[in-house]
Amino acid sequence: STLIAETGGLNAMIIDSTALPEQAVSDVLTSAFQSAGQRCSALRMLYVQSDIAEDFLQMLFGAMDELQLGDPRCFATDIGPVIDAPAKRKIDAYIAQAQARGDVMKQCRWSSVGQSAAGHFVRPAVVSVNGIEDLHEEIFGPVLHVATYEAKELDRVIDAINDTGVGLTFGLHSRFDDRVQHVAERM
C-alpha cells in the first residue's frame, strides 16, 4: 500500500535591513495569509531586523487593512474561510489568548465582503513573540508571529529556527549576496 503524508511546519522568514520593503510585504501577505493560512508551507514566524522593523510593520499593517475576506471564488477576495468551525474556534481562541496578553500587534478589520459571505472566517492577525522558540505548536490559520533581531544576532536566529526541527519552508529578503549565501549554507 501507499502512504502519502503532508506535514505542517513552523515556517520562517528573515527580513534584513537591505530588503525591498514592498516586495517583502507582498511575500509576507501571500505566504502567511493566502489560503487563510491553511497551507503546510504557510509563513508562521517572521523575523525583521530591528533597524527597519517599525517602518516595515507599519507598511505590513497598512497592507493588511486592504485585505478582503470573502468567497474565494470572487476575484475581489484575498482570504477565504478556514476549513470548519472547530478550526475557527481553535484559531480564534489562540488569538484571544494573545490579545489578553497584549501580544496582538494587528488584526485585520472585517470587510463588507467577509461579513456577508458564508463560511468560517478568521481575521488575519499578527502576534508579537520573542522568537520561534515561543511557538509550541503550529497554528493552522492566518496567524503570523513576529520578532525583531539585531544584525549581530543573525546566527542566533538561524540556530533558533534550525533547532525547531519542524520547518518545511524558509524565506529570506536581503540584497547582500554574501548574507544570502551564509544563510543558505546554515539553514
Side-chain angles (χ1 to χ4, degrees), residues 5 15 36-37 52 60 75 126 131 135 137 156 162-164 179 187:
I15 297 175
I52 63 161
L60 176 65
F75 287 117
V126 176
L135 308 184
E137 66 175 313
R156 181 195 59 78
N162 285 339
D163 286 348
T164 67
R179 184 167 300 144
M187 193 55 61

Side-chain angles (χ1 to χ4, degrees), residues 89-102 104 107 127:
R89 282 193 298 274
K90 180 176 182 176
I91 300 163
D92 283 343
Y94 180 84
I95 295 169
Q97 289 170 353
Q99 185 77 48
R101 292 189 311 268
V104 173
Q107 189 167 23
V127 176

